[in-house]
Amino acid sequence: MKGIGKTLLLIGASSDIGRATALIYAEAGWDVLLAGRNRSAVQREADDISARTGANVMVHELDILTTSRFEDFVGVVSPLPDTAVCVVGELGEQSRAERELEHAAMIMRTNFEGPALLLGLLAERFAARGSGTIVGISSVAGDRGRASNYVYGAAKAGLTAFLSGLRNRLSGSGVRVLTVKPGFVRTRMTNTMKLPPLLTAEPREVAQRIFAVAEGGRGGDVVYVRPIWRPLMTVIRSIPEPIFKRLRL
């Protein structure tokens, strides 16, 4: 799985999972392209990763909500990466999203529209080349809508469906499309939440799982970072709607 001569594109580079994933790839000898909306923050990450690993790390400025710039971005990314990982996500506030249309739209666009459109463009480039791996970070929240976060969950459900369709269409093209569902992760996004230890991963744990699946071929096409999530979400999806709607999950 050593990546001499290989390149990773990491979208969402200043996030905790993004930083950990970029570091894992750099440690394995990959060149790394970091993309994020705050260029100075991404540059700090690039400098730190390069200093730690000696890897070649380059920076691109990209706002996942500025979809009109995606085609230009994909056109200038050089070299065309071997693997593209999108870890962009925004939990937002469910109660605020219920009251404010703009906040709900931001959650939906950040978690679904932007990542789906960008990964779709990259997939076309990969398909034309005949090789490449696309990794989209979705969420167990998209497995079934719950009162506590259904705006975020709906967006992640959309991303999961998009990646599934993309994977189906590109089967046999030489392009792999992977869906990774981390579950709870101890990050800045969740630092105000009380998280169950058994169900909660660390950013480096998520990064290691991404690398193992994307580059080692272990884990299938849809991956729950902690395996316990798969049977748990199977049970939650199987609860009849008349019962489920009375629950507060």
Side-chain angles (χ1 to χ4, degrees), residues 66-98:
T66 310
T67 57
S68 61
R69 297 187 61 188
F70 285 1
E71 288 185 326
D72 290 340
F73 170 76
V74 172
V76 301
V77 167
S78 181
L80 185 65
D82 298 277
T83 296
V85 179
C86 182
V87 302
V88 172
E90 177 61 57
L91 185 61
E93 298 176 29
Q94 173 62 36
S95 60
R96 183 180 171 191
E98 293 163 14

Side-chain angles (χ1 to χ4, degrees), residues 183-195:
F184 297 126
V185 184
R186 209 173 304 280
T187 67
R188 287 167 291 176
M189 191 169 76
T190 60
N191 64 3
T192 62
M193 301 169 61
K194 186 176 181 180
L195 303 176

